[in-house]
Amino acid sequence: MSPTHCRRTVCLSVCVIGAGSSGLTSIKSCLSEGLEPTCFSAVVTSGGYFSQIHFRIRL
């Protein structure tokens, strides 16, 4: 994002490690505050642990 897209005069960049439940919540909070989050995750999919265990759970 360029500084013209931010609510503030200067964009503040934030690094979020992991795209699990806490990481996605952090990204949403950063965006609502006008920050520019960048997320780094070990896997391609978002959702963290919960995106990989669905096949193991039996109801």
Side-chain angles (χ1 to χ4, degrees):
M1 287 180 116
S2 64
T4 57
H5 290 97
C6 294
R7 289 188 283 182
R8 300 178 181 162
T9 305
V10 177
C11 275
L12 298 177
S13 296
V14 176
C15 177
V16 177
I17 307 296
S21 56
S22 296
L24 293 176
T25 304
S26 298
I27 291 169
K28 183 181 181 302
S29 296
C30 289
L31 290 172
S32 68
E33 292 296 321
L35 302 174
E36 186 177 331
T38 301
C39 182
F40 294 96
S41 183
V43 293
V44 178
T45 59
S46 62
Y49 178 73
F50 296 104
S51 69
Q52 298 176 6
I53 64 163
H54 68 278
F55 61 89
R56 292 186 225 159
I57 297 175
R58 297 195 191 274
L59 300 176

